[in-house]
Amino acid sequence: MARESGPTRAERQARTRELLVATARDLFLRDGYHATTLDRVAEAAGFSKGAVYSNFATKDELCQTVIDEVRAEQVGAVIEAIGGEGSAADRLAVFDAWAERTIGDPGWTLLEAEFAIHATRRDPALRDRVAEGARHWVRALGRLLEEEARRRDLVLPLPPDELAEALLSLGIGLGLRRAVDPQLSPQALTDVLRLFLLA
C-alpha cells in the first residue's frame, strides 16, 4: 500500500511565504512601516527570523509585497466597479460604495504614505520601484477609462493616462485628508468620475 506523502518542499516554502505576507500585512496595516520589524513578523507568524530572510531580503521587499497585494485587490475592485455590467449609474453606485469603504482607510493610506516617504528619503532604487508601482496603477486605470470611453462612444477630456493620473492623485489626496478627518466625504472623486461616465 502506497504511503501518502506530505507537502513538497516547494509547497511548504510557498505556504511559509504566504503566512509571512499575511502576518506582515496585518502588522504593517495596523502599526505602520517603521514600527513593524522583521523580528515581530517572524514571531507573530510562528517562524524564525531566518525564515523571513529566506523569503525576503529586506523589510522593504516584504512591505512592497504587502503594498502590491493590497493595491492589486483595490485595483480589482475599481475595475469591477467601473468596468462591470449594468448602467453607468449602477456602476457608479458600486464605485461609490468602494470609495466610502476604502478611501482614507487609515491602515492602507498611512502605510502607502509612510513607505513612499521612506523610499524617497532613503533609497533611489526603492523610490523608483515605488514610482513604477504607481505608474502600473495609472496604466491599468487608463486602459479601463479608454475601454469605457470606447464602449460608450465617448471622447475623453484628456488622454487616458493623464485622466487616470488626475483621478489617482485626487483619490490619494482625498485618502490622506480622510485618514485625518474621517468625516470628509470621498464624494468628490465619484462626482468627477460621474462627469465622465454620464457624459
Coordinates of all heavy atoms in Angstrom, one line a residue, residues 31-83:
D31 N 0.2 48.8 12.5 CA 1.2 49.6 13.2 C 2.1 50.5 12.3 O 2.8 51.3 12.8 CB 2.2 48.6 13.9 CG 1.4 47.7 14.9 OD1 0.4 48.1 15.4 OD2 1.9 46.6 15.1
G32 N 2.1 50.3 11.0 CA 2.8 51.1 10.1 C 4.2 50.5 9.8 O 4.6 49.5 10.3
Y33 N 4.9 51.1 8.8 CA 6.1 50.6 8.3 C 7.2 50.6 9.4 O 7.8 49.5 9.6 CB 6.6 51.4 7.1 CG 8.0 51.0 6.6 CD1 8.1 49.8 5.9 CD2 9.1 51.7 7.0 CE1 9.4 49.4 5.5 CE2 10.4 51.3 6.6 CZ 10.5 50.1 5.8 OH 11.7 49.7 5.5
H34 N 7.5 51.7 10.0 CA 8.6 51.8 10.9 C 8.4 51.0 12.2 O 9.4 50.4 12.7 CB 8.9 53.3 11.2 CG 9.5 54.0 10.1 ND1 10.8 53.7 9.6 CD2 9.0 54.9 9.2 CE1 11.0 54.5 8.5 NE2 10.0 55.2 8.3
A35 N 7.2 50.9 12.7 CA 7.0 50.1 13.9 C 7.1 48.6 13.7 O 7.2 47.8 14.7 CB 5.7 50.5 14.5
T36 N 6.9 48.2 12.5 CA 6.9 46.7 12.2 C 8.3 46.3 11.9 O 8.9 46.8 10.9 CB 5.9 46.4 11.0 OG1 4.6 46.9 11.4 CG2 5.9 44.9 10.7
T37 N 8.8 45.3 12.6 CA 10.2 44.8 12.4 C 10.0 43.4 11.8 O 9.0 42.7 12.0 CB 11.0 44.8 13.6 OG1 10.4 43.8 14.6 CG2 11.1 46.1 14.3
L38 N 11.1 42.9 11.2 CA 11.1 41.5 10.7 C 11.0 40.5 11.9 O 10.4 39.5 11.8 CB 12.3 41.3 9.8 CG 12.4 42.0 8.5 CD1 13.6 41.7 7.7 CD2 11.1 41.8 7.7
D39 N 11.6 40.9 13.0 CA 11.5 40.1 14.2 C 10.1 39.9 14.6 O 9.6 38.8 15.0 CB 12.3 40.7 15.4 CG 13.8 40.5 15.2 OD1 14.2 39.5 14.6 OD2 14.6 41.3 15.8
R40 N 9.3 41.0 14.6 CA 7.9 40.9 15.0 C 7.1 40.1 14.0 O 6.2 39.4 14.4 CB 7.3 42.3 15.2 CG 7.9 43.1 16.4 CD 7.2 44.4 16.5 NE 5.8 44.3 16.8 CZ 4.9 45.2 16.4 NH1 5.2 46.3 15.7 NH2 3.6 45.0 16.6
V41 N 7.4 40.2 12.8 CA 6.7 39.5 11.7 C 7.0 38.0 12.0 O 6.0 37.2 12.0 CB 7.1 39.9 10.3 CG1 6.5 38.9 9.3 CG2 6.7 41.3 10.0
A42 N 8.2 37.6 12.1 CA 8.6 36.2 12.3 C 7.9 35.7 13.6 O 7.3 34.6 13.5 CB 10.1 36.1 12.5
E43 N 8.0 36.4 14.7 CA 7.4 35.9 15.9 C 5.9 35.7 15.8 O 5.3 34.7 16.2 CB 7.7 36.9 17.0 CG 7.2 36.5 18.4 CD 7.5 37.5 19.5 OE1 8.3 38.4 19.3 OE2 6.8 37.3 20.6
A44 N 5.2 36.7 15.2 CA 3.8 36.7 15.1 C 3.3 35.5 14.1 O 2.3 34.9 14.3 CB 3.2 38.0 14.6
A45 N 4.2 35.2 13.1 CA 3.8 34.2 12.2 C 4.2 32.8 12.7 O 3.9 31.8 12.1 CB 4.5 34.4 10.8
G46 N 5.0 32.8 13.8 CA 5.5 31.5 14.3 C 6.7 30.9 13.6 O 6.9 29.7 13.6
F47 N 7.5 31.8 13.0 CA 8.7 31.3 12.3 C 10.0 32.0 12.9 O 9.9 33.0 13.6 CB 8.6 31.6 10.8 CG 7.5 30.9 10.1 CD1 6.4 31.6 9.7 CD2 7.6 29.6 9.9 CE1 5.4 30.9 9.0 CE2 6.6 28.9 9.2 CZ 5.5 29.6 8.8
S48 N 11.1 31.5 12.5 CA 12.4 32.1 12.9 C 12.6 33.3 12.0 O 12.0 33.4 10.9 CB 13.5 31.2 12.7 OG 13.7 30.9 11.3
K49 N 13.5 34.2 12.4 CA 13.8 35.4 11.5 C 14.5 34.9 10.3 O 14.3 35.5 9.2 CB 14.7 36.3 12.3 CG 14.9 37.7 11.6 CD 15.7 38.6 12.5 CE 15.9 39.9 11.8 NZ 16.7 40.9 12.6
G50 N 15.2 33.7 10.4 CA 15.8 33.1 9.2 C 14.8 32.8 8.1 O 15.0 32.9 6.9
A51 N 13.6 32.3 8.5 CA 12.5 32.0 7.6 C 12.1 33.2 6.8 O 11.8 33.2 5.6 CB 11.3 31.4 8.3
V52 N 12.1 34.4 7.5 CA 11.7 35.6 6.8 C 12.8 36.0 5.8 O 12.5 36.3 4.6 CB 11.5 36.8 7.8 CG1 11.2 38.1 7.1 CG2 10.5 36.5 8.9
Y53 N 14.0 35.9 6.2 CA 15.1 36.3 5.3 C 15.3 35.3 4.2 O 15.8 35.7 3.1 CB 16.5 36.4 6.1 CG 16.6 37.8 6.7 CD1 16.6 37.9 8.1 CD2 16.7 38.9 5.9 CE1 16.8 39.2 8.7 CE2 16.8 40.2 6.5 CZ 16.9 40.3 7.9 OH 17.0 41.5 8.4
S54 N 14.8 34.1 4.3 CA 14.9 33.1 3.2 C 13.9 33.4 2.1 O 13.9 33.0 1.0 CB 14.8 31.7 3.7 OG 13.5 31.4 4.1
N55 N 12.9 34.2 2.5 CA 11.8 34.6 1.6 C 11.9 36.1 1.1 O 11.5 36.4 0.0 CB 10.4 34.4 2.2 CG 10.1 32.9 2.2 OD1 9.6 32.4 1.2 ND2 10.3 32.3 3.3
F56 N 12.4 37.0 2.0 CA 12.5 38.4 1.7 C 13.9 38.9 2.1 O 14.2 38.8 3.3 CB 11.4 39.2 2.4 CG 10.0 38.7 2.0 CD1 9.4 37.7 2.8 CD2 9.4 39.1 0.9 CE1 8.1 37.3 2.5 CE2 8.2 38.6 0.5 CZ 7.5 37.7 1.3
A57 N 14.6 39.5 1.2 CA 15.9 40.0 1.5 C 15.9 41.2 2.5 O 16.8 41.3 3.4 CB 16.6 40.5 0.2
T58 N 14.9 42.0 2.5 CA 14.8 43.2 3.4 C 13.3 43.4 3.8 O 12.4 42.9 3.2 CB 15.3 44.4 2.6 OG1 14.4 44.7 1.5 CG2 16.7 44.3 2.1
K59 N 13.2 44.3 4.8 CA 11.9 44.7 5.2 C 11.2 45.5 4.1 O 10.0 45.4 3.9 CB 12.0 45.5 6.5 CG 10.6 46.0 7.0 CD 10.7 46.6 8.4 CE 10.9 48.1 8.4 NZ 10.6 48.7 9.7
D60 N 12.0 46.2 3.4 CA 11.4 47.0 2.2 C 10.8 46.1 1.2 O 9.7 46.3 0.7 CB 12.5 47.8 1.5 CG 13.0 49.0 2.4 OD1 12.3 49.4 3.3 OD2 14.1 49.5 2.1
E61 N 11.4 45.0 0.9 CA 10.9 44.0 0.0 C 9.6 43.4 0.5 O 8.6 43.2 -0.3 CB 11.9 42.9 -0.3 CG 11.5 41.9 -1.4 CD 12.4 40.7 -1.6 OE1 13.6 40.9 -1.3 OE2 12.0 39.7 -1.9
L62 N 9.6 43.1 1.8 CA 8.3 42.5 2.3 C 7.2 43.5 2.3 O 6.1 43.2 2.0 CB 8.6 42.0 3.8 CG 7.4 41.4 4.6 CD1 6.8 40.3 3.8 CD2 7.9 41.0 5.9
C63 N 7.5 44.7 2.7 CA 6.5 45.8 2.7 C 6.0 46.1 1.3 O 4.8 46.2 1.1 CB 7.0 47.1 3.3 SG 5.7 48.3 3.6
Q64 N 6.9 46.1 0.3 CA 6.5 46.3 -1.1 C 5.5 45.2 -1.5 O 4.6 45.4 -2.2 CB 7.7 46.4 -2.0 CG 7.3 46.8 -3.4 CD 6.8 48.2 -3.5 OE1 7.6 49.2 -3.3 NE2 5.6 48.4 -3.9
T65 N 5.8 44.0 -1.1 CA 5.0 42.8 -1.5 C 3.6 43.0 -0.9 O 2.6 42.8 -1.6 CB 5.6 41.5 -0.9 OG1 6.9 41.4 -1.6 CG2 4.7 40.3 -1.3
V66 N 3.5 43.5 0.4 CA 2.2 43.7 1.0 C 1.5 44.8 0.3 O 0.3 44.7 0.0 CB 2.4 44.1 2.5 CG1 1.1 44.6 3.1 CG2 2.9 42.8 3.3
I67 N 2.2 45.9 0.0 CA 1.5 47.0 -0.7 C 1.0 46.6 -2.1 O -0.1 46.9 -2.5 CB 2.4 48.2 -0.8 CG1 2.6 48.9 0.6 CG2 2.0 49.3 -1.8 CD1 3.6 50.0 0.7
D68 N 1.8 45.8 -2.8 CA 1.4 45.3 -4.1 C 0.2 44.5 -4.0 O -0.7 44.6 -4.9 CB 2.6 44.5 -4.8 CG 3.7 45.4 -5.2 OD1 3.6 46.6 -5.3 OD2 4.8 44.8 -5.5
E69 N 0.1 43.6 -3.0 CA -1.0 42.8 -2.8 C -2.3 43.6 -2.5 O -3.4 43.3 -3.1 CB -0.8 41.8 -1.6 CG -1.9 40.9 -1.3 CD -1.6 39.9 -0.2 OE1 -1.0 38.9 -0.4 OE2 -1.9 40.3 1.0
V70 N -2.2 44.6 -1.6 CA -3.3 45.4 -1.3 C -3.8 46.2 -2.6 O -5.0 46.3 -2.9 CB -3.0 46.4 -0.1 CG1 -4.2 47.3 0.1 CG2 -2.7 45.6 1.1
R71 N -2.8 46.8 -3.3 CA -3.1 47.6 -4.5 C -3.9 46.7 -5.5 O -4.8 47.1 -6.1 CB -1.9 48.1 -5.1 CG -1.3 49.3 -4.4 CD -0.1 49.8 -5.2 NE 0.5 51.0 -4.6 CZ 1.7 51.5 -4.9 NH1 2.4 50.9 -5.9 NH2 2.1 52.6 -4.4
A72 N -3.4 45.5 -5.7 CA -4.0 44.6 -6.7 C -5.4 44.3 -6.3 O -6.3 44.3 -7.2 CB -3.2 43.3 -6.8
E73 N -5.7 44.1 -5.0 CA -7.1 43.9 -4.6 C -7.9 45.1 -4.9 O -9.1 45.0 -5.4 CB -7.1 43.6 -3.1 CG -6.5 42.2 -2.8 CD -6.4 42.0 -1.3 OE1 -6.8 42.8 -0.5 OE2 -5.8 41.0 -0.9
Q74 N -7.4 46.3 -4.6 CA -8.2 47.5 -4.7 C -8.4 47.9 -6.2 O -9.4 48.3 -6.6 CB -7.5 48.7 -4.0 CG -7.5 48.5 -2.5 CD -8.8 48.2 -1.8 OE1 -9.9 48.5 -2.4 NE2 -8.8 47.6 -0.7
V75 N -7.3 47.7 -7.0 CA -7.5 47.9 -8.4 C -8.5 47.0 -9.0 O -9.3 47.4 -9.8 CB -6.1 47.7 -9.2 CG1 -6.3 47.7 -10.7 CG2 -5.2 48.9 -8.8
G76 N -8.5 45.7 -8.6 CA -9.5 44.8 -9.0 C -10.9 45.2 -8.6 O -11.8 45.1 -9.4
A77 N -11.1 45.8 -7.4 CA -12.4 46.3 -7.0 C -12.8 47.5 -7.9 O -14.0 47.6 -8.2 CB -12.3 46.7 -5.5
V78 N -11.9 48.4 -8.2 CA -12.2 49.5 -9.0 C -12.6 49.1 -10.5 O -13.6 49.5 -11.0 CB -11.0 50.5 -9.1 CG1 -11.3 51.6 -10.1 CG2 -10.9 51.2 -7.7
I79 N -11.8 48.1 -11.0 CA -12.1 47.6 -12.3 C -13.5 46.9 -12.4 O -14.2 47.1 -13.3 CB -11.0 46.6 -12.8 CG1 -9.7 47.4 -13.1 CG2 -11.4 45.8 -14.0 CD1 -8.5 46.5 -13.3
E80 N -13.8 46.2 -11.3 CA -15.1 45.5 -11.2 C -16.2 46.6 -11.2 O -17.3 46.4 -11.8 CB -15.1 44.6 -10.0 CG -16.4 43.8 -9.9 CD -16.4 42.9 -8.7 OE1 -15.3 42.5 -8.2 OE2 -17.5 42.7 -8.2
A81 N -16.0 47.7 -10.4 CA -17.0 48.7 -10.3 C -17.2 49.5 -11.6 O -18.3 49.6 -12.1 CB -16.6 49.7 -9.1
I82 N -16.1 50.0 -12.1 CA -16.2 50.8 -13.3 C -16.5 50.0 -14.6 O -17.3 50.4 -15.4 CB -14.9 51.7 -13.5 CG1 -14.8 52.6 -12.3 CG2 -15.0 52.6 -14.7 CD1 -13.5 53.4 -12.3
G83 N -15.8 48.9 -14.7 CA -15.9 48.2 -15.9 C -16.9 47.0 -15.9 O -17.0 46.3 -16.9

